[in-house]
Amino acid sequence: MFVKSIGFENYRNLENAVVYPEKGINVICGNNAQGKTNLIECLWLFTGGRSFRGSKESEMITFGEKISRIFLNFYSEEREQTIEIDIAGGKRRAVLNDVPKSYMSQIVGNFCAVVFSPDHLTLIKNGPEERRGFINGALCQIKPRYAAMLSKYKKILNERNALLKDIPRHRELEDTLEIWDEKLAEEGALVAVERFRYIEKLMPEAVAFYEGISDGKENLEIEYKMKCGCEPYMDRYEIAGMMLKALRSHQNDDIYCGYTTYGVHRDDLSVKINGKEARSFGSQGQQRSAVLALKLAEAAVLEKEKGESPVILLDDVLSELDQSRKNFLLKKLDRNQVFITCCENITEAENIVRITEGKISKSEE
Ligand SMILES: Nc1ncnc2c1ncn2[C@@H]1O[C@H](COP(=O)(O)OP(=O)(O)OP(=O)(O)O)[C@@H](O)[C@H]1O
Ligand SMILES: [Mg+2]
């Protein structure tokens, strides 16, 4: 999969233009605050995801304007395809191959990309929610049906939580909890099976990448940890059984808290470097390499599953890596279309675009 052209109107500080990137590695050079991350963010929006900076829609529109329009022409599934996104009134609206879509989620899985920015260090540093979000996002791109499973689970979870809050005032409702426990366990097991399967595929890729980037000196381990103690070899019925048991035995705690304390919304992905939790013991550099390993493993799995390599968006990684790590990274990615930003004046790369005050131009070099 690759981008043939990307256009933008009133997008942050980017000057209105259409840009035609190369199929291989595209280096986006420029000083600070010129619009490099803005360009990466704009490309990412075509996956259907939200801004990886956590920005609101209104923040993406150029100051003083009311509407922003961005469009993408990309090659995938042996044909040219288009996505157009309008951002206005705090909302985004997408048109995929000239067909308007009601929800952004309906374009997920068409234009596939993997993004890494320094903000993604939170994937290791923050709590489990961030890591579940990583697994969820990755799975949604591979298997749009997973998004439906997840939203069904969340709906049941919300119903159960609402009931938990009502029970102290209406004790007679306690009997109905059992129905929600069963539904939640059943639906949660489907989600858990998908996550276990995904991590099984992700692990060898992430481990190999981490070994490569650390020159064989360090090792990475990842494991999907279910709070109710289920293991990857279990089938959905066994998992549902254990979940139901956990839900039933914690009913009183849950009524007391007013929310559900067990289930796939409480699980975590353990990431260890040399046998120690990366979150608590990893150095800054180790954490960065671990996130990079997870992201590029995500791309490798996506490629295997879809038969097409996703576009790789790397914001601010080059400046942090020494020459051998840089070489390893770029060599590893040479089959993908890559957009990589940097502040230095790189001359050795083939396709360099310069960005100055939001204006994009081909480098003379
Ligand atoms: N909605 C907007 N309208 C106009 N300009 C904006 C908008 N949002 C952000 N900007 C401006 O875009 C500029 C460039 O931002 P960006 O984060 O892309 O820089 P960068 O090139 O990635 O810099 P760095 O190297 O420091 O990461 C900032 O100066 C910011 O003020
Ligand atoms: Mg930036």
Side-chain angles (χ1 to χ4, degrees):
M1 172 167 326
F2 62 93
V3 173
K4 294 195 81 168
S5 70
I6 170 171
F8 24 80
E9 281 169 22
N10 299 341
Y11 192 82
R12 294 209 189 249
N13 80 327
L14 300 180
E15 195 176 286
N16 294 356
V18 180
V19 176
Y20 298 86
E22 302 290 335
K23 253 178 158 178
I25 293 181
N26 293 271
V27 180
I28 303 154
C29 276
N31 291 339
N32 293 135
Q34 301 304 305
K36 301 182 297 296
T37 305
N38 293 346
L39 180 59
I40 298 285
E41 175 190 54
C42 181
L43 279 159
W44 172 253
L45 291 184
F46 294 105
T47 62
R50 304 193 141 266
S51 162
F52 56 82
R53 292 170 150 181
S55 301
K56 289 191 211 116
E57 270 71 17
S58 58
E59 293 167 358
M60 298 174 205
I61 305 169
T62 306
F63 300 143
E65 301 289 343
K66 288 202 168 59
I67 295 181
S68 173
R69 199 167 76 93
I70 55 176
F71 31 99
L72 184 80
N73 188 338
F74 67 107
Y75 191 84
S76 170
E77 295 180 337
E78 296 171 0
R79 66 197 168 106
E80 262 187 48
Q81 305 196 45
T82 57
I83 300 176
E84 196 185 303
I85 300 175
D86 285 351
I87 308 167
K91 285 207 174 71
R92 291 174 292 164
R93 264 189 207 87
V95 180
L96 172 68
N97 297 321
D98 298 321
V99 181
K101 300 288 175 186
S102 319
Y103 305 101
M104 285 305 286
S105 58
Q106 291 174 316
I107 67 165
V108 174
N110 288 282
F111 172 68
C112 295
V114 166
V115 65
F116 173 91
S117 94
D119 292 350
H120 287 116
L121 282 179
T122 54
L123 185 52
I124 302 282
K125 286 184 172 170
N126 286 13
E129 190 174 0
E130 202 92 15
R131 288 178 286 283
R132 286 193 303 271
F134 164 71
I135 306 177
N136 289 342
L139 264 167
C140 284
Q141 288 206 71
I142 294 176
K143 195 172 195 169
R145 214 160 45 81
Y146 176 80
M149 275 179 205
L150 202 59
S151 75
K152 195 165 168 201
Y153 178 84
K154 282 186 182 155
K155 220 171 134 195
I156 300 168
L157 180 65
N158 289 340
E159 302 267 11
R160 188 180 189 269
N161 286 345
L163 182 62
L164 289 170
K165 287 191 182 80
D166 281 347
I167 288 175
R169 280 177 287 122
H170 304 277
R171 281 322 289 201
E172 71 280 8
L173 290 173
E174 201 167 337
D175 292 346
T176 54
L177 203 51
E178 180 67 19
I179 305 163
W180 294 107
D181 288 1
E182 279 169 20
K183 282 189 185 183
L184 197 65
E186 202 177 303
E187 210 51 44
L190 296 177
V191 171
V193 166
E194 293 298 336
R195 289 182 180 173
F196 273 134
R197 278 194 202 139
Y198 181 68
I199 297 304
E200 226 161 74
K201 292 175 196 156
L202 192 77
M203 178 142 73
E205 304 286 348
V207 167
F209 182 83
Y210 196 90
E211 200 186 318
I213 201 150
S214 66
D215 211 13
K217 294 192 185 88
E218 294 171 8
N219 84 300
L220 180 82
E221 286 165 76
I222 57 171
E223 194 186 351
Y224 180 57
K225 291 259 189 209
M226 289 189 70
K227 203 178 163 192
C228 64
C230 298
E231 298 283 344
Y233 63 82
M234 295 180 174
D235 67 17
R236 57 179 273 210
Y237 302 104
E238 243 177 305
I239 294 177
M242 275 183 80
M243 274 193 184
L244 185 58
K245 224 167 123 190
L247 287 167
R248 277 183 187 150
S249 58
H250 292 89
Q251 277 184 354
N252 285 336
D253 295 345
D254 289 1
I255 293 168
Y256 176 76
C257 296
Y259 57 83
T260 305
T261 53
Y262 276 74
V264 291
H265 63 290
R266 302 285 288 198
D267 295 344
D268 197 0
L269 178 71
S270 145
V271 181
K272 287 184 180 163
I273 298 166
N274 294 342
K276 300 262 190 305
E277 269 317 318
R279 184 184 176 193
S280 315
F281 302 106
S283 76
Q284 193 84 348
Q286 286 176 321
Q287 291 183 344
R288 179 172 292 109
S289 303
V291 176
L292 209 48
L294 288 175
K295 292 285 179 168
L296 296 176
E298 178 191 353
V301 175
L302 196 58
E303 178 172 354
K304 279 192 183 150
E305 297 286 307
K306 296 204 72 137
E308 273 193 290
S309 50
V311 172
I312 297 193
L313 310 171
L314 300 174
D315 194 20
D316 270 349
V317 274
L318 283 187
S319 50
E320 305 283 350
L321 300 175
D322 60 35
Q323 198 58 45
S324 80
R325 284 179 188 227
K326 250 184 231 178
N327 291 346
F328 173 81
L329 178 67
L330 294 177
K331 194 162 169 278
K332 189 88 191 155
L333 298 177
D334 61 4
R335 279 179 312 122
N336 297 68
Q337 187 182 41
V338 181
F339 292 83
I340 185 162
T341 67
C342 74
C343 292
E344 302 139 59
N345 234 337
I346 284 203
T347 46
E348 65 262 34
E350 267 176 41
N351 311 311
I352 303 173
V353 294
R354 297 223 120 256
I355 179 158
T356 314
E357 291 180 10
K359 187 174 165 52
I360 299 168
S361 55
K362 277 259 172 204
S363 178
E364 296 306 313
E365 242 109 0

